[in-house]
Amino acid sequence: ATMVKKVLGMHIPWDGYGMLVGRTGTILALPPNGERDFNLVELTNHDDRSAISKNTFKPESFNLFTRKDLGDLPASIQRQESGILLSDLLGQPNHVAWGTMEETGWKLLIVVPRAKIDEQAIMLSQRIGKLAVGMVVGLVIFYTGFFLFLWRQAQRMSRLIADPLMRMNEQVLAIGEGRYEQSADRVGVAELDAT
């Protein structure tokens, strides 16, 4: 009873659930959403007197190993100590993972709808996509501003060097025409001042 309560009380993300299967394949614990997936209805009506006087067994549909409608799942669970399998339950793909308890031979199964996992992955992908677009837009704005700044700086530096050179060229041409008295204006570049 303690094991069944623990299995039924498990919190599994993505609307998943746990189920407990006995050594012979009988389902020992199955929550309501598992009943829906496995197309079962828990046997809740029983007579205590008849249970005392004779053995009461669950119907064959509660034996996971004999279910033909579950594809490869029963055989895989029976053959392997542990594993993961993608299985269709009521036409919906579900990830089923299981492990065996050594002491009892019981198997603990975790069933999670694939659509719920994919839904989380799609949401994460959309968030990352929005973040990526935001980063690209931010980078474009940043680099546009940065290149405009560099262009203005290059223009300023070009004027700082080109303007004195143009004045020097005019002075040299004036000297060549015979006007020897030329004033040497100070410029912001030491090398040009020396020249």
Side-chain angles (χ1 to χ4, degrees), residues 62-176:
F62 279 83
N63 189 321
L64 195 63
F65 295 164
T66 61
R67 299 271 305 260
K68 304 285 186 232
D69 60 331
L70 299 177
D72 295 338
L73 183 64
S76 296
I77 293 172
Q78 195 171 12
R79 261 193 333 267
Q80 300 171 0
E81 293 280 320
S82 62
I84 300 173
L85 184 70
L86 183 62
S87 180
D88 281 349
L89 302 175
L90 287 181
Q92 300 297 320
N94 287 270
H95 289 285
V96 181
W98 67 92
T100 305
M101 294 179 236
E102 291 181 21
E103 298 81 11
T104 60
W106 295 353
K107 301 202 184 247
L108 175 64
L109 280 72
I110 304 295
V111 180
V112 178
R114 181 178 179 183
K116 294 292 182 175
I117 296 173
D118 291 348
E119 181 180 290
Q120 295 285 328
I122 289 168
M123 279 181 20
L124 182 61
S125 171
Q126 290 172 344
R127 284 184 191 165
I128 290 173
K130 288 178 183 176
L131 180 65
V133 167
M135 287 177 65
V136 168
V137 168
L139 285 172
V140 166
I141 291 170
F142 170 77
Y143 279 113
T144 301
F146 180 66
F147 286 127
L148 282 173
F149 171 76
L150 288 179
W151 179 75
R152 290 192 68 187
Q153 288 295 92
Q155 291 291 327
R156 191 177 67 77
M157 290 298 291
S158 175
R159 279 193 309 270
L160 185 67
I161 294 172
D163 288 350
L165 285 175
M166 294 296 286
R167 282 195 309 262
M168 285 175 62
N169 189 41
E170 290 169 0
Q171 288 174 340
V172 168
L173 288 173
I175 292 171

